Amino acid sequence: MKGWMEEYGRGHKMLREAIEGISEAELRFKPAPDHWSIHQIIIHVTDSEILSTHRMRKVLAENEPLLYSFDQDQWVDELRYDVLDREQHLQLFESLRLSMQPILDHLTEEQAERVGVYPDGLRFTFKQLLEYRVQHVRGHLAQIERVRDAYRATQS
């Protein structure tokens, strides 16, 4: 659990490092019409963090609260991620992670086992939700690298 908490705390730094020095053309490049650009990935990671921070707090504050998901592709389209400010979203992501740090610093073993329930009946502990947040950033860091590789391939 300690490893997950430490990596969770470094998530914003990892995202910033992944896009450091990348041109705007590369940030906006989409490898295919139905794939996301790096810019869109950053906005998505932040929107997902907003909802996930809410879920984790609900699990700690309420008794087996109901948790909800969202349609990520619909959010990309309907919220017009292309026109949203990437830097504002990176700052928001960092603030959300920092706001959780005191909670994580004082988390008890009992709290880590508290449960939230999705409408389909799936149950997740706080510990599982935290692990998923770390894995989510890892997955999108890998996606960013794949988009960068695809961009470089078009430049050769």
Side-chain angles (χ1 to χ4, degrees), residues 34-70:
D34 62 337
H35 287 73
W36 295 349
S37 68
I38 293 170
H39 172 87
Q40 290 171 318
I41 293 166
I42 296 296
I43 305 298
H44 160 74
V45 169
T46 301
D47 273 352
S48 180
E49 197 67 25
I50 293 167
L51 296 169
S52 295
T53 300
H54 180 258
R55 285 184 205 118
M56 290 192 303
R57 288 174 180 258
K58 279 183 74 76
V59 167
L60 293 176
E62 300 174 18
N63 187 32
E64 295 197 9
L66 189 57
L67 306 176
Y68 292 98
S69 297
F70 70 109

Side-chain angles (χ1 to χ4, degrees), residues 20 28 36-37 40 62 66 76 79 86 88 113 124 130 145 152:
E20 190 173 321
R28 298 291 181 155
W36 295 349
S37 68
Q40 290 171 318
E62 300 174 18
L66 189 57
V76 170
L79 296 178
R86 184 175 54 254
Q88 284 181 339
E113 297 303 324
F124 289 89
L130 178 67
E145 194 56 39
R152 288 183 204 120

